[in-house]
Amino acid sequence: MPRNETITELGLDEYKYGFVTEDKPVFKAVPGLSEDIVRQISHHKEEPQWMLEFRLKALEVYYSKPMPKWGGDLSKLEDTLDEIYFYLKPQDQMERSWDDVPQEIKDTFEKLGIPEAERKALAGVGAQYESEMVYHSLKEQWEEQGVIFESIEDGLAKHPELFRQYFSTVVPTHDNKFAALNSAVWSGGSFVYIPKGVKVEIPLQAYFRVNAERMGQFERTLIICEEGAEAHYIEGCTAPVYSTDSFHSGVIEIVVKKGARFRYTTIQNWSNNMYNLVTQRALVHEEAKMEWLDGNLGSKLTMKYPSCYLVGERAHGEILSIAYAGDGQHQDTGGKVIHAAPNTTSQITSKSISKGLGRSSYRGLCKVYDGAEGAKSNVECDALLLDETSRTDTYPYIEIDENTASIGHEATVSKVGDEQLFYLMSRGLDEAEAMAMIVRGFIEPVAKELPLEYAIELNRLIELEMEGSVG
Amino acid sequence: MSEPLLSVRGLRAKVDGEDGEILRGVDLDVQRGEVHALMGPNGSGKSTLAKVIAGHPAYEVTAGEILFEGEDVLELEPDERSRAGIFLAFQYPAEIPGVSIANFLRTAVNSRLAEGEEMDVFGFQRTLTEKMEMLKMDPGFAARYVNDGFSGGEKKRNEILQMAVLRPALGVLDETDSGLDIDALKIVASGVNRLSEADEALGVLLITHYKRILNYIRPDRVHVMMAGRIAESGGASLADKLEAEGYDWLHRAVAAV
């Protein structure tokens, strides 16, 4: 276990997207958490009774569980939780078309410089703004194919049976303290259903943005990919800078049925006062394939370990992740693979970059149950340190109860070398360009898996973060 | 005659933070269009001289000067020297995983252009393909990550490829011949010869431990480095003498001084 170190907040990177658009919330709960707040949320969303009961039970579980003592420093989190708003709703109605989206919100997207992702109408875009879906469109062809891509609230309202059949089955309330908290106060997120045999060619994209000081963000996403279906879901977000601590705790549940393939891509870029504690897990059935592609930038502390539970024979799980820990940031990330069936295979590839007083930790679990004959897992984690003060740690947990399993683990730590810098500079690149090129090369194996516009955005974000890193 | 392309005067240098000079007063002039061979035993300071000319930060120049086209370059950063026209072909090129040769070279070419300007992508691709053919390189080579998992021969060829694309005024080739089999050596040598033919003003400082490469690249001048100084200079025949007699006679001569 790592030492519980206080994160030094000296020399925090100036957050490059730190602008604020004036927000006009329609409803704002009082700060802090209580049973009353949970009832208000449920009432406001006009939820069925079972969901209210589910939330209240989750709240009890949340109260009963202690703060985790591992991972990062959560000692200041309880104070934060007393101050944040657990629910915020900017508009009463869901928006159906881009034209209906308020100008103020469009301005925010514009400033992010990534409106193309929405405007190209590549896909049905769900944009989450202040806890609520405000923009949601879906290509007609998908509706014809029977694909459901809704806000989580609409998923519950319009598809109650389907929703209830799968909700909380992948991440149970009692799984961990923050899963319990999310279960009590969840708001926003996506509900996706891909019917049997349907192949969704164009990625489903959701774009959301946290934009209210001290606002908690508890998105909940539930995805069901039926037998033989294929789809790719992309979520990216970036948040503005604030002076007080902020908190994000999402739960993502994915069910990948027999022979199906699903990929979930996230690029998260939080302001550096954000606690980002996310539970994302997929249940992977026979011969199905699940891929998590996870990029984590910013935040004060991120604890996030995308998981694949390989429960059917020959199921395959893959986790690719990139973490960038800037000055004063702690990225505690990695992945979990659980081999619970024969001939299941998995691959974890983790890349981290640390700078200044930043710290990145790889934390991974590989578990092979007795009877999961022929299971194979391979873990590769590479850390790159940009200077002398940054830090990286590796915490691989391996639990094998099956003799025939084969497990590989490889970890490397490298520092941007003087010889590499000199080599690139001797070809005419200045020091900053040379440094950026080495970093881009380092993340290339993961970045090349991203859709082009996201790969470009990721490189751009990292370059912005690296500005001023050359002395 | 105009000033030399490269003029090294009384150059003394040591590893930064350590005692003991490695270069102890090097004097060397290379004129435009000339090929100079710099020979000498291991540890005589040949590679140090190459790195100091290119501006390696690990070395400290304690005295003397390096003039390139008449300008003192000692205060210039390595990238500034590169853009000014100095090219170092490394003895041990660094590996840059994840960065393709094409991407790397395009960035290097663009670094020579004015702010905001970029070389036409297709034009660049044509140049690259042409230079790769000259060096008998597989077209797929450009997509490979810079030096990552390359054989010794591939690394050296990649260095000459970069020189061909970047078209410097001065090429310093640091033991480019070491570790090459005879076929690879011929390809590399013919590449350098063709660059010399294409650019009559190109100056080359060819650092080598062995005479072998001089059978394929005929030098205008040969220098022998001993204990951090140029101990002997002469025409191409000096290399033959070294081949036949070794360095011992020079050791004795230096010791006698």
Side-chain angles (χ1 to χ4, degrees):
Chain A
M1 283 288 128
R3 285 173 298 143
N4 238 2
E5 279 193 319
T6 306
I7 295 167
T8 314
E9 291 182 62
L10 292 171
L12 286 173
D13 292 346
E14 192 187 329
Y15 191 77
K16 303 302 189 303
Y17 286 155
F19 48 78
V20 180
T21 308
E22 189 189 348
D23 67 301
K24 295 174 184 164
V26 175
F27 165 85
K28 211 168 190 170
V30 293
L33 184 61
S34 65
E35 190 184 312
D36 200 38
I37 290 285
V38 172
R39 286 181 183 280
Q40 274 186 47
I41 294 169
S42 188
H43 174 72
H44 208 89
K45 290 180 183 292
E46 299 173 8
E47 288 177 346
Q49 184 66 22
W50 75 265
M51 185 55 79
L52 173 62
E53 284 163 15
F54 173 87
R55 286 179 182 274
L56 291 171
K57 188 160 163 276
L59 185 66
E60 279 176 35
V61 175
Y62 168 71
Y63 284 138
S64 71
K65 281 187 179 283
M67 274 285 173
K69 292 276 185 271
W70 52 276
D73 179 9
L74 296 169
S75 60
K76 289 185 189 140
L77 182 57
E78 302 222 36
D79 296 339
T80 300
L81 292 177
D82 289 339
E83 290 168 14
I84 64 171
Y85 291 88
F86 280 81
Y87 184 56
L88 210 79
K89 184 183 163 80
Q91 289 167 305
D92 278 324
Q93 290 185 338
M94 295 294 293
E95 301 294 336
R96 280 299 296 175
S97 81
W98 180 249
D99 289 342
D100 296 331
V101 175
Q103 192 56 42
E104 191 179 283
I105 290 172
K106 285 181 182 169
D107 288 348
T108 300
F109 286 129
E110 190 70 47
K111 283 185 212 166
L112 282 171
I114 322 150
E116 291 83 0
E118 287 79 25
R119 290 183 186 173
K120 277 191 290 184
L122 266 173
V125 177
Q128 182 180 1
Y129 184 82
E130 298 185 7
S131 309
E132 200 77 40
M133 295 300 240
V134 293
Y135 174 61
H136 201 106
S137 66
L138 187 59
K139 276 202 156 184
E140 278 180 8
Q141 62 189 57
W142 293 348
E143 282 169 354
E144 283 167 16
Q145 285 180 305
V147 173
I148 301 169
F149 181 22
E150 303 272 11
S151 71
I152 189 87
E153 284 81 3
D154 276 359
L156 173 58
K158 294 183 187 171
H159 310 278
E161 281 170 24
L162 193 58
F163 190 101
R164 196 171 180 177
Q165 187 186 344
Y166 293 101
F167 183 78
S168 193
T169 58
V170 183
V171 180
T173 299
H174 54 79
D175 188 82
N176 65 72
K177 188 172 179 71
F178 298 104
L181 178 60
N182 177 283
S183 297
V185 299
W186 64 265
S187 186
S190 298
F191 178 74
V192 178
Y193 180 81
I194 317 290
K196 187 172 175 178
V198 169
K199 292 177 172 51
V200 181
E201 305 283 343
I202 302 165
L204 301 149
Q205 303 190 50
Y207 203 90
F208 73 90
R209 176 169 159 76
V210 182
N211 191 20
E213 190 169 5
R214 297 185 302 168
M215 189 194 67
Q217 183 82 17
F218 301 94
E219 105 272 18
R220 181 107 190 182
T221 288
L222 175 59
I223 296 169
I224 301 119
C225 193
E226 286 284 4
E227 283 185 19
E230 288 181 20
H232 182 187
Y233 179 92
I234 305 177
E235 180 215 85
C237 61
T238 154
V241 67
Y242 286 116
S243 56
T244 56
D245 289 329
S246 222
F247 184 64
H248 173 256
S249 183
V251 168
I252 316 294
E253 299 182 274
I254 303 178
V255 179
V256 192
K257 298 279 190 74
K258 182 179 176 182
R261 294 167 73 106
F262 197 83
R263 173 180 274 200
Y264 186 101
T265 296
T266 332
I267 303 292
Q268 289 189 321
N269 181 27
W270 302 106
S271 56
N272 52 27
N273 56 347
M274 179 73 85
Y275 288 95
N276 182 33
L277 312 170
V278 179
T279 306
Q280 39 188 66
R281 185 176 302 161
L283 207 56
V284 192
H285 291 274
E286 192 179 337
E287 290 178 348
K289 184 177 179 184
M290 173 68 205
E291 295 169 299
W292 293 103
L293 224 153
D294 202 41
N296 296 293
L297 285 90
S299 85
K300 178 183 206 165
L301 170 65
T302 288
M303 289 170 66
K304 193 176 181 195
Y305 322 98
S307 312
C308 291
Y309 283 55
L310 307 171
V311 295
E313 202 163 339
R314 290 182 298 284
H316 179 73
E318 247 178 85
I319 301 156
L320 285 105
S321 68
I322 296 174
Y324 182 98
D327 226 351
Q329 299 172 353
H330 184 184
Q331 301 283 2
D332 197 276
T333 59
K336 290 199 280 186
V337 286
I338 313 294
H339 292 259
N343 300 310
T344 46
T345 52
S346 65
Q347 169 76 38
I348 298 178
T349 307
S350 165
K351 298 254 174 190
S352 73
I353 301 156
S354 311
K355 175 197 149 189
L357 295 171
R359 174 183 171 194
S360 61
S361 312
Y362 167 79
R363 189 179 302 277
L365 170 68
C366 175
K367 181 164 178 67
V368 181
Y369 280 97
D370 186 16
E373 290 167 12
K376 286 193 182 76
S377 177
N378 190 47
V379 178
E380 278 179 54
C381 48
D382 303 321
L384 183 68
L385 301 174
L386 296 189
D387 48 37
E388 301 290 343
T389 53
S390 49
R391 169 178 171 188
T392 183
D393 316 272
T394 307
Y395 306 100
Y397 301 89
I398 298 173
E399 298 168 15
I400 311 294
D401 300 323
E402 167 59 49
N403 293 331
T404 61
S406 124
I407 309 297
H409 178 95
E410 203 180 313
T412 68
V413 178
S414 48
K415 194 180 161 302
V416 170
D418 291 341
E419 292 302 324
Q420 282 180 315
L421 277 177
F422 176 61
Y423 186 70
L424 296 182
M425 289 177 74
S426 77
R427 301 304 184 241
L429 280 65
D430 67 32
E431 194 174 355
E433 265 181 311
M435 185 77 101
M437 180 166 270
I438 292 165
V439 171
R440 272 202 302 275
F442 176 75
I443 63 169
E444 169 67 12
V446 179
K448 75 178 179 195
E449 295 295 324
L450 290 169
L452 186 62
E453 66 264 36
Y454 284 84
I456 290 167
E457 185 193 345
L458 179 69
N459 279 327
R460 199 161 56 100
L461 287 171
I462 287 178
E463 274 165 30
L464 281 170
E465 290 283 333
M466 280 174 56
E467 271 178 17
S469 65
V470 174
Chain B
M1 186 156 188
S2 60
E3 84 267 336
L5 177 63
L6 174 74
S7 183
V8 178
R9 303 275 165 82
L11 188 68
R12 305 178 87 87
K14 63 187 188 66
V15 174
D16 199 14
E18 287 181 20
D19 295 331
E21 286 180 335
I22 302 170
L23 302 183
R24 303 181 193 172
V26 177
D27 292 291
L28 178 69
D29 280 359
V30 177
Q31 303 293 339
R32 286 180 178 77
E34 286 184 348
V35 175
H36 288 230
L38 181 63
M39 303 183 71
N42 285 331
S44 59
K46 305 186 299 292
S47 284
T48 298
L49 177 63
K51 289 186 206 168
V52 170
I53 291 171
H56 196 294
Y59 297 93
E60 185 194 342
V61 172
T62 51
E65 55 186 13
I66 299 173
L67 302 176
F68 178 69
E69 296 180 330
E71 304 286 331
D72 188 354
V73 297
L74 284 180
E75 293 303 314
L76 297 183
E77 294 294 323
D79 54 315
E80 295 170 315
R81 297 186 198 196
S82 167
R83 295 195 296 269
I86 296 174
F87 181 89
L88 171 63
F90 283 60
Q91 184 179 5
Y92 303 110
E95 297 180 3
I96 317 288
V99 177
S100 72
I101 287 175
N103 179 5
F104 168 46
L105 269 175
R106 199 172 57 239
T107 308
V109 168
N110 285 333
S111 77
R112 285 156 167 76
L113 304 178
E115 183 88 27
E117 269 184 52
E118 274 191 30
M119 190 176 179
D120 170 61
V121 174
F122 298 103
F124 171 77
Q125 194 56 49
R126 270 196 304 278
T127 306
L128 186 59
T129 307
E130 180 191 311
K131 306 298 182 194
M132 285 171 59
E133 279 169 7
M134 179 185 91
L135 290 162
K136 298 189 167 57
M137 293 167 115
D138 186 273
F141 196 78
R144 289 178 66 185
Y145 296 154
V146 179
N147 296 320
D148 191 21
F150 282 20
S151 69
E154 286 172 327
K155 283 183 179 173
K156 297 301 171 69
R157 242 188 269 191
N158 184 29
E159 293 297 289
I160 302 305
L161 173 67
Q162 293 175 44
M163 180 169 154
V165 172
L166 297 177
R167 304 187 58 184
L170 173 70
V172 179
L173 277 51
D174 188 8
E175 305 216 9
T176 299
D177 53 333
S178 66
L180 293 185
D181 61 32
I182 192 68
D183 291 333
L185 181 74
K186 282 181 184 171
I187 291 167
V188 164
S190 102
V192 174
N193 288 333
R194 288 179 65 170
L195 292 178
S196 288
E197 286 158 22
D199 177 4
E200 289 184 355
L202 175 68
V204 175
L205 181 60
L206 184 68
I207 293 170
T208 180
H209 189 66
Y210 303 102
K211 186 186 164 278
R212 198 176 56 151
I213 194 170
L214 302 180
N215 295 332
Y216 304 98
I217 301 175
R218 288 307 283 177
D220 299 297
R221 299 283 293 163
V222 175
H223 311 275
V224 184
M225 202 159 178
M226 302 283 277
R229 307 185 59 169
I230 305 289
E232 184 77 21
S233 293
S237 60
L238 178 56
D240 299 326
K241 181 173 179 180
L242 289 170
E243 177 81 350
E245 301 177 20
Y247 291 109
D248 281 355
W249 62 278
L250 268 172
H251 276 295
R252 287 192 294 274
V254 169
V257 171

